[in-house]
Amino acid sequence: FPAWIAYEFPSPQTINSYRIYTGGNRHPYDFTFDGWNGTTWNVLDTQTHYVMDDYTSYQFFLSSPATYNKFRLFVTSAQDIGNYVWVVELELLS
């Protein structure tokens, strides 16, 4: 850790929420959802000690819409003991 997954759109997109699809174990436990402004990552949402179940999806709503062309899920720890995290899919929703 840390571990991250990012997606870059060809042009800026407005995101209101994001959804994490889990699988197996090693779910994100402490993480942020960030937007890239061209220089630094801006934290758009923070989750701490978030407990997830296997093979389930979790939707997180931003406090306000965010417009960027690059977003990332930045994980600082996993739910179970280990040195990796398992995210099946990250969905960005407008």
Side-chain angles (χ1 to χ4, degrees), residues 34-81:
D34 310 323
W36 179 252
N37 69 8
T39 306
T40 60
W41 290 102
N42 293 325
V43 175
L44 307 174
D45 184 51
T46 301
Q47 299 293 327
T48 55
H49 307 305
Y50 197 93
V51 177
M52 298 182 183
D53 293 322
D54 295 347
Y55 306 105
T56 307
S57 69
Y58 296 88
Q59 187 168 354
F60 302 91
F61 293 88
L62 304 182
S63 59
S64 62
T67 304
Y68 295 91
N69 72 317
K70 188 186 288 187
F71 295 89
R72 78 171 177 181
L73 179 68
F74 187 75
V75 182
T76 54
S77 70
Q79 187 169 314
D80 295 322
I81 297 171

